[in-house]
Amino acid sequence: MTAEAPAAVRSMNLGGAINAGLRAAMERDPKVLLMGEDIGQLGGVFRVTDGLWKDFGDHRVIDTPLAESGIVGTAIGMALRGYTPVVEIQFDGFIFPAFNQITTQLAKLHYRTKGKLSVPVVIRVPFAGGIGAVEHHSESIEALFAHTAGLRVVSPATPQDAYDMIQQAIASPDPVLFLEPKARYWDKGEVDTARVGTQLEAVGGAQAATAEMSRARVAREGKDVTLLAYGPSVRLCLQSAELAAADSVSAEVIDLRSVSPFDMETVLASVKKTGRAVVVHEAPVAFGTGGELAARIGEKAFFHLHAPVMRVGGFHMPYPGSKFEHDYLPSVDRILDAVDRVMAH
Amino acid sequence: MAGIGPLSEEGLVRLLDHEGRRVEDATYDPYVSHLTMDDLRAFWRDMTLTRAFDLESTSLQRQGELGLWVPALGQEAAQIGSAHATRLPDHIFPSYREHGVLHVKGIDLASIMGMWRGMEHSSWDPTAYGVHTYTLVIGAHAPHAVGYAQAMDWDGLVGSGDPEKDGAVVCYFGDGATSQGDVNEALVFAAVNNAPVVFFIQNNQFAISEPTTRQSKVPLAQRASGVGIPGVRVDGNDVVAVHAVTRWAMEHARSGQGPVVIEALTYRMGAHTTSDDPTRYRTTSDEQYWKDRDPIARLETFLTSADELPEDFKAQVEADGKELARRTRESVKGWQRGPVEQMFDHVYGTPHALVQEEKAWFNRYEASFADQEVAK
């Protein structure tokens, strides 16, 4: 075929894009299966797997017993026999019973066996806050898993990325934590549904897909300050950049997309251009991914910096009651405050 | 079995008593009726070789050649008897003490020492031998075994009626592991999915220093009834009974009838590991009681009384044991560490920017010393 396949562009929200991506992955590869609590007949508590049980049946959309460690542990066993389980952990705060399986087994089996065994399990987690939920339903867990070698940690911010990246995560030979910004499930956007399939069906598609999933995206170009974010914070940074522009500050927004690994090439190119960086995430600032980025920027772009790298994020406390969450979470005001502070240098 | 403790001998399947006399059992005799004296001599040989290897490995640790050794001393019947009930389509998930199982499955014991010498984390190809890598996190492999078994079922390897094709999974763990959440979750997942998996508990009576009474108030096989699957207790020092019970359980699982729990009551004659000191928590009279029930001696007595263990066979096995020990020592001492940069390999299956960056930095760092040496 010489002509390019016509782009199949559809409007979807982010949750719907994940649903469509899962469907496409399951149609592409009969070894892909979904497991989790309430993902079958109910379609998941956020309805992300809606309709898949009906179309693919009990054997490929599996309602599991209510035990997160058992879910991830049995998924590892299935992966050892050549299946690609996509596991749903119902809420971020419920992943901890599976922490051992994820960090001591899933992350390490490839290394432990010198590559003889691969465990390409994808763990989908609706994560982060902002939806007025009760305790344990709003947590940002990315640093805990990015700290563990052997795992990839990614988070889409747009319907297009949600659609592409879930399929790339499934195709990747490595285990992937796929963090879904639950407050953005209803964000709408245009999705080209053809491109990622072409990538995956090409020779070396899984490697290319893994590499692409690990790259950052310049979400908005600017020249005075770089806003670094992923998942739920990307939209917030774009809003902040819009307001900063009204104040004659040109902010560049980088959607990191991948937390493990970070795409430092894109980050450093931006920071070297702007000389200022603000990292925004919902997770507590202390010992977080913002600290890691700040340190790496400091090591690699120190003489390009006009100001210290600032961090905007959650506080060193358990996630508060939902009536407090909008003061706990980064906001446009707090991002602009940080922008003001770096611009003062 | 109500009211009896986890170390009771009540309800144990036993086909050879501890003095090596054959005990009849209408239920399990059919599962060993095929065994010939040659088969029993092969069991005895496997147990004896495993022990020779084990004792040599303890010596190697004591001489500073191994970082740690985990002896299987006393558990040879539980391991050899059960492993001989598995075959090619089956897959095994061991804990980390199943040296006898590895031996039966054709893994050269002399080749598995890299892990204990600190050279690597695993030594054999799990796919080639149908034996998963050792798992050190207690019970963490139990859900892996269940998931693997479910997948075997999906792949059409269960209940086809073709004995050459059907398979099942065996998952080995100890009495301590039965307290782990993962083992209990594995039992639930196996039961509700009717997974073809046999949970083989070696109740060796100790989790390092803690007796089984710190893990359970009831015999461990009773855990099965809570999830609605069969549980069987067997004398773990009776290789024939272990073989019979495991054969039954494997046929049950392979034919699609679902999971089984086997509890083999045995005794860890040695220490937990070479870092352990059992004199702090158990008596010599207790140890002597179990020495008198040594699993190898039991089969040896049976074969000798039947005049089926000729001296030349024994001498040959002894020589084979010495040869295995010699090869083990040679293998351990022959281990050379590869280039240091290999420690960065296989963290991921596809390139990861952070690992690549750190490996490149490390190589530059190493090279900087080489430059200085050349400069001098």
Side-chain angles (χ1 to χ4, degrees):
Chain A
M1 216 163 65
T2 48
E4 270 187 44
V9 178
R10 285 159 56 193
S11 176
M12 297 182 198
N13 64 31
L14 190 143
I18 296 170
N19 178 282
L22 290 170
R23 179 181 291 277
M26 293 176 82
E27 283 168 352
R28 185 177 300 119
D29 180 357
K31 294 281 191 178
V32 173
L33 52 93
L34 313 185
M35 322 166 48
E37 299 159 5
D38 308 299
I39 67 162
Q41 202 160 6
L42 181 65
V45 295
F46 288 103
R47 307 293 183 264
V48 172
T49 55
D50 190 35
L52 299 175
W53 174 79
K54 191 171 137 285
D55 293 343
F56 292 96
D58 284 336
H59 285 292
R60 296 191 64 197
V61 183
I62 304 168
D63 270 336
T64 63
L66 210 164
E68 289 77 8
S69 189
I71 296 170
V72 174
T74 52
I76 290 171
M78 293 166 195
L80 292 172
R81 254 201 93 76
Y83 287 82
T84 302
V86 183
V87 160
E88 177 177 302
I89 298 293
Q90 199 161 72
F91 281 93
D92 36 52
F94 302 152
I95 201 167
F96 298 102
F99 195 76
N100 172 55
Q101 281 294 336
I102 297 170
T103 57
T104 76
Q105 305 300 311
L106 185 62
K108 293 181 172 62
L109 267 165
H110 189 265
Y111 187 78
R112 179 180 303 149
T113 59
K114 289 172 282 186
K116 290 191 187 80
L117 298 179
S118 288
V119 275
V121 176
V122 176
I123 301 181
R124 293 181 39 240
V125 194
F127 98 118
I131 63 161
V134 294
E135 196 182 5
H136 311 299
H137 290 65
S138 305
E139 315 215 339
S140 293
I141 53 176
E142 62 274 24
L144 294 164
F145 294 102
H147 196 62
T148 300
L151 303 173
R152 291 178 182 274
V153 182
V154 300
S155 183
T158 67
Q160 180 71 65
D161 276 352
Y163 180 81
D164 290 349
M165 289 168 71
I166 188 64
Q167 294 180 68
Q168 291 167 329
I170 290 168
S172 176
D174 295 319
V176 181
L177 262 283
F178 190 83
L179 304 179
E180 303 173 0
K182 66 171 87 77
R184 303 285 179 255
Y185 273 144
W186 301 274
D187 282 12
K188 279 209 152 159
E190 298 290 295
V191 175
D192 175 350
T193 57
R195 197 192 58 88
V196 72
T198 310
Q199 175 187 56
L200 290 171
E201 279 151 25
V203 177
Q207 279 66 29
T210 307
E212 187 183 283
M213 179 182 77
S214 310
R215 276 199 289 277
R217 171 180 73 96
V218 180
R220 177 189 172 111
E221 290 195 18
K223 57 182 177 49
D224 299 326
V225 55
T226 301
L227 302 180
L228 297 166
Y230 47 85
S233 304
V234 173
R235 193 176 83 181
L236 211 55
C237 287
L238 288 169
Q239 289 166 347
S240 305
E242 195 65 36
L243 290 168
D247 215 12
S248 303
V249 173
S250 167
E252 179 149 300
V253 178
I254 304 288
D255 174 2
L256 288 161
R257 300 179 355 123
S258 170
V259 174
S260 177
F262 281 136
D263 174 3
M264 286 311 295
E265 210 174 305
T266 302
V267 170
L268 291 170
S270 176
V271 174
K272 284 177 180 175
K273 178 175 72 174
T274 62
R276 299 177 184 85
V278 175
V279 190
V280 182
H281 53 60
E282 291 193 13
V285 161
F287 310 98
T289 54
E292 182 61 34
L293 280 165
R296 288 180 179 272
I297 292 167
E299 285 170 15
K300 297 281 168 60
F302 185 71
F303 293 105
H304 296 268
L305 288 175
H306 305 311
V309 178
M310 303 292 296
R311 293 170 292 170
V312 179
F315 302 108
H316 189 59
M317 60 170 68
Y319 199 89
S322 62
K323 295 299 183 207
F324 296 86
E325 74 179 332
H326 294 291
D327 294 296
Y328 169 86
L329 292 171
S331 60
V332 168
D333 285 344
R334 275 168 56 196
I335 295 169
L336 290 175
D337 174 65
V339 168
D340 283 348
R341 283 191 281 157
V342 294
M343 292 308 294
H345 287 275
Chain B
M1 290 197 284
I4 65 166
L7 297 175
S8 160
E9 297 204 359
E10 200 172 314
L12 291 181
V13 175
R14 181 176 283 147
L15 301 181
L16 288 182
D17 71 13
H18 81 267
E19 284 165 334
R21 286 181 299 244
R22 182 75 164 84
V23 183
E24 290 197 358
D25 183 306
T27 308
Y28 289 101
D29 280 349
Y31 292 92
V32 289
S33 59
H34 66 291
L35 292 178
T36 63
M37 285 298 171
D38 274 345
D39 291 330
L40 293 179
R41 275 189 291 272
F43 286 5
W44 183 82
R45 178 177 187 273
D46 285 340
M47 292 198 287
T48 305
L49 291 183
T50 301
R51 184 165 294 182
F53 160 79
D54 209 335
L55 294 171
E56 181 69 12
S57 301
T58 294
S59 299
L60 285 163
Q61 194 281 335
R62 290 291 182 244
Q63 291 157 21
E65 299 290 346
L66 298 176
L68 186 76
W69 182 244
V70 181
L73 215 65
Q75 297 176 220
E76 293 88 351
Q79 298 186 3
I80 303 298
S82 58
H84 271 292
T86 67
R87 57 189 194 195
L88 203 55
D90 301 322
H91 204 83
I92 291 171
F93 284 80
S95 174
Y96 50 74
R97 201 188 294 279
E98 281 68 44
H99 319 313
V101 175
L102 268 48
H103 169 70
V104 171
K105 297 309 285 184
I107 297 170
D108 180 11
L109 293 178
S111 75
I112 70 161
M113 306 308 271
M115 175 176 179
W116 308 102
R117 196 162 162 84
M119 295 291 184
E120 55 186 3
H121 292 323
S122 70
S123 303
W124 62 90
D125 182 346
T127 311
Y129 292 97
V131 181
H132 190 65
T133 176
Y134 276 167
T135 298
L136 303 190
V137 178
I138 301 295
H141 59 303
H144 307 171
V146 175
Y148 195 96
Q150 286 182 260
M152 283 182 84
D153 194 4
W154 300 334
D155 290 344
L157 297 179
V158 179
S160 78
D162 178 354
E164 297 300 312
K165 193 175 156 197
D166 287 343
V169 170
V170 190
C171 181
Y172 288 93
F173 50 85
D175 39 295
T178 62
S179 296
Q180 285 284 357
D182 269 348
V183 167
N184 289 280
E185 292 186 21
L187 287 169
V188 170
F189 278 68
V192 301
N193 290 301
N194 204 45
V197 55
V198 173
F199 298 100
F200 193 98
I201 308 169
Q202 291 173 82
N203 179 357
N204 71 9
Q205 309 194 27
F206 291 95
I208 304 190
S209 69
E210 295 190 9
T212 311
T213 50
R214 294 306 301 154
Q215 316 294 342
S216 183
K217 284 175 71 76
V218 297
L220 301 173
Q222 279 190 28
R223 300 291 169 90
S225 65
V227 295
I229 64 175
V232 185
R233 302 191 80 210
V234 59
D235 182 336
N237 284 12
D238 173 357
V239 70
V240 180
V242 168
H243 184 68
V245 168
T246 313
R247 267 200 88 204
W248 167 78
M250 292 303 285
E251 285 179 17
H252 184 91
R254 287 185 198 119
S255 61
Q257 296 177 75
V260 175
V261 172
I262 297 173
E263 175 194 359
L265 181 65
T266 178
Y267 187 80
R268 196 193 72 208
M269 290 171 79
H272 164 65
T273 69
T274 44
S275 298
D276 180 31
D277 175 11
T279 66
R280 294 177 71 99
Y281 54 81
R282 65 188 191 190
T283 63
T284 46
S285 63
D286 198 26
E287 289 179 353
Q288 187 57 49
Y289 176 88
W290 285 97
K291 207 173 172 187
D292 293 340
R293 280 151 184 77
D294 185 314
I296 301 180
R298 187 181 309 194
L299 182 60
E300 188 168 328
T301 307
F302 172 79
L303 287 169
T304 308
S305 331
D307 207 17
E308 288 286 352
L309 198 61
E311 281 309 316
D312 58 342
F313 180 82
K314 281 178 79 172
Q316 184 58 51
V317 171
E318 192 183 339
D320 291 348
K322 281 184 179 160
E323 173 59 12
L324 175 58
R326 186 197 63 74
R327 287 196 306 107
T328 300
R329 175 170 293 267
E330 190 178 85
S331 156
V332 165
K333 292 196 163 185
W335 257 103
Q336 297 292 324
R337 201 179 75 160
V340 189
E341 66 166 356
Q342 81 177 31
M343 74 181 172
F344 291 95
D345 294 345
H346 306 301
V347 182
Y348 293 86
T350 45
H352 186 280
L354 184 55
V355 177
Q356 289 179 307
E357 183 191 330
E358 291 183 347
K359 182 176 180 177
W361 176 87
F362 183 83
N363 283 336
R364 284 197 304 277
Y365 172 76
E366 289 283 282
S368 71
F369 292 105
D371 287 348
Q372 283 174 5
E373 278 171 25
V374 172
K376 278 177 195 169

